[in-house]
């Protein structure tokens, strides 16, 4: 593996490339990354860097977002078959139909959506700023929130908004049951529960802290507590243990593993740098409409 890492480093310099890895990626992928973080933060990093090639170690919609924000750069997705089980290929058509049914509604799309969905949305949001985005919308407006019903219900709990939530969710977060979490709390009574808002409502009621993956890491660093139960995808443990080696972290459930996030391998990263493929290209018309939704979000949340 050492030789493979060295080959990747050499190719990266030759290609003037930067490697971005989502915190749900395997440890060996996070270890070679120039930047790690959540999906939108990485796309912003891609836009800020002077690299000519972006190697995005994540899933398809994440690489699309990087391509939306960095149209002049080559964006590669080593695991081209890494999709997202939160939605299917019919989501764009289904959303268009819902917009026809509710023409006066405001469409808020999670950044965890395809470019085509962002392009027909009024504004995007992240798990960190979803509440602020929804609060920026006039209170008499109905909101179509797509695609995660659990994030939508979390936002609903924090606001007085009239939200129509999409009947879908992240299966990785939805796998965590109230019984499993309570059992973990009994096993580790001193541990605080840090949770992603994509978990089910009845499970969120047990959390000590709810936030995005980035904010979960920040909270673990900030908190004087020494033990934590982590209720999000398993990959974030790598960053938590790296940032807080003196603290203990326990995954809320061994079921919280996203198979798509584990499709990236060192071999695929090397191959993408050699071939400059698989490349992610967003059609310009779609890109321009999608970047508008992202810019509206940034105007509100920076």
């Amino acid at each position: 593996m050492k030789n493979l890492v060295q080959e990747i480093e050499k190719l990266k310099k030759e290609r003037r490339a930067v490697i971005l890895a989502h915190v749900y990626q395997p440890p060996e992928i996070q270890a070679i990354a120039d930047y790690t973080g959540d999906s939108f933060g990485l796309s912003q990093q891609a836009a800020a860097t002077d690299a000519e090639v972006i190697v995005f170690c994540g899933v398809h919609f994440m690489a699309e977002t990087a391509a939306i924000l960095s149209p002049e750069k080559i964006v590669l997705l080593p695991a081209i078959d890494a999709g997202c089980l939160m939605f299917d290929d019919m989501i764009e058509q289904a959303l268009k139909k819902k917009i026809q049914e509710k023409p006066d509604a405001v469409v808020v799309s999670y950044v965890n959506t395809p470019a085509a969905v962002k392009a027909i949305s009024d504004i995007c949001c992240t798990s960190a700023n979803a509440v602020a985005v929804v609060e920026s919308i006039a209170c008499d407006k109905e909101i179509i929130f797509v695609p995660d019903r659990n994030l939508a219900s979390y936002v609903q709990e924090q606001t007085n908004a009239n939200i129509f939530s999409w009947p879908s969710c992240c299966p990785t977060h939805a796998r965590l049951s109230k019984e499993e979490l309570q059992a973990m709390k009994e096993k580790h009574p001193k541990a605080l529960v840090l949770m992603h808002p994509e978990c089910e409502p009845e499970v969120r009621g047990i959390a000590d802290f709810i936030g995005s993956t980035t904010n979960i890491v920040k909270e673990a660093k900030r908190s004087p507590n020494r033990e934590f139960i982590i209720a999000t995808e398993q990959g974030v443990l790598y960053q938590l243990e790296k940032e807080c080696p003196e603290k203990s972290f326990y995954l809320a459930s061994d079921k919280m593993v996203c198979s798509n996030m584990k499709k990236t391998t060192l071999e695929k990263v090397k191959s993408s740098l050699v071939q400059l493929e698989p490349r992610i290209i967003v059609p310009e018309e779609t890109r321009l409409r999608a970047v508008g939704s992202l810019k509206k979000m940034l105007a509100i949340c920076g």
Side-chain angles (χ1 to χ4, degrees):
M1 189 171 82
K2 183 179 178 181
N3 289 341
L4 187 53
V5 171
Q6 290 173 341
E7 289 173 22
I8 289 170
E9 287 296 325
K10 181 173 180 290
L11 284 164
K12 189 174 70 172
K13 291 176 183 176
E14 292 173 357
R15 296 296 198 186
R16 287 182 50 79
V18 64
I19 298 175
L20 310 179
H22 192 275
V23 291
Y24 294 166
Q25 289 284 295
E28 65 272 19
I29 300 301
Q30 293 191 54
I32 64 163
D34 297 288
Y35 304 99
T36 57
D38 58 24
S39 59
F40 187 65
L42 289 174
S43 293
Q44 288 180 299
Q45 189 64 59
T49 180
D50 60 0
E52 295 175 3
V53 177
I54 306 299
V55 182
F56 209 119
C57 300
V59 298
H60 199 274
F61 72 76
M62 297 179 182
E64 276 192 332
T65 305
I68 289 167
L69 295 179
S70 305
E72 75 289 356
K73 296 172 183 175
I74 294 173
V75 178
L76 306 175
L77 180 64
I80 192 61
D81 60 337
C84 180
L85 297 176
M86 191 160 27
F87 50 81
D88 59 27
D89 293 340
M90 299 305 294
I91 187 171
E92 179 189 1
Q93 294 306 316
L95 180 55
K96 285 180 177 178
K97 183 179 179 181
K98 186 58 64 177
I99 291 170
Q100 288 178 341
E101 294 172 6
K102 298 175 178 289
D104 296 326
V106 177
V107 179
V108 177
S109 67
Y110 197 9
V111 290
N112 297 13
T113 51
V117 169
K118 293 181 178 72
I120 58 174
S121 300
D122 294 293
I123 190 169
C124 290
C125 73
T126 68
S127 55
N129 66 29
V131 171
V133 166
V134 167
E135 286 181 334
S136 74
I137 298 166
C139 59
D140 62 334
K141 286 286 188 179
E142 183 177 13
I143 294 169
I144 299 172
F145 194 103
V146 59
D148 191 275
R149 60 176 168 77
N150 287 327
L151 180 58
S153 69
Y154 173 73
V155 173
Q156 183 73 80
E157 291 165 2
Q158 309 300 312
T159 67
N160 294 316
N162 176 18
I163 296 176
F164 168 84
S165 60
W166 208 249
S168 183
C169 67
C170 168
T172 301
H173 289 92
R175 289 188 197 114
L176 178 62
S177 70
K178 186 175 181 180
E179 292 72 25
E180 281 179 298
L181 185 54
Q182 287 173 331
M184 283 298 292
K185 283 175 64 70
E186 290 174 11
K187 187 176 180 181
H188 304 286
K190 295 181 181 180
L192 295 179
V193 178
L194 309 185
M195 183 177 293
H196 196 282
E198 288 178 16
C199 290
E200 296 283 350
E202 66 171 13
V203 178
R204 291 200 305 265
I206 308 174
D208 296 293
F209 174 85
I210 298 174
S212 66
T213 48
T214 296
N215 285 335
I216 284 173
V217 175
K218 288 180 179 177
E219 179 64 16
K221 291 171 67 175
R222 183 203 65 77
S223 173
N225 217 63
R226 309 284 291 187
E227 295 182 73
F228 302 89
I229 295 168
I230 303 302
T232 190
E233 210 278 343
Q234 173 235 28
V236 78
L237 293 179
Y238 175 84
Q239 283 301 316
L240 287 165
E241 290 166 356
K242 179 182 175 182
E243 297 282 348
C244 310
E246 76 287 0
K247 296 182 179 183
S248 298
F249 300 96
Y250 316 109
L251 191 64
S253 169
D254 58 10
K255 299 174 186 174
M256 300 188 79
V257 178
C258 174
S259 58
N260 278 295
M261 281 290 187
K262 308 310 182 193
K263 289 183 176 180
T264 313
T265 64
L266 292 173
E267 289 80 6
K268 289 178 182 178
V269 172
K270 177 189 171 183
S271 176
S272 71
L273 284 165
V274 169
Q275 302 178 43
L276 289 183
E277 293 287 348
R279 186 172 177 181
I280 301 298
I281 299 174
V282 177
E284 185 64 4
E285 182 181 352
T286 300
R287 190 193 74 80
L288 289 173
R289 290 163 63 194
V291 80
S293 297
L294 291 168
K295 285 182 176 178
K296 286 178 184 176
M297 174 185 76
L298 291 172
I300 294 166
C301 307

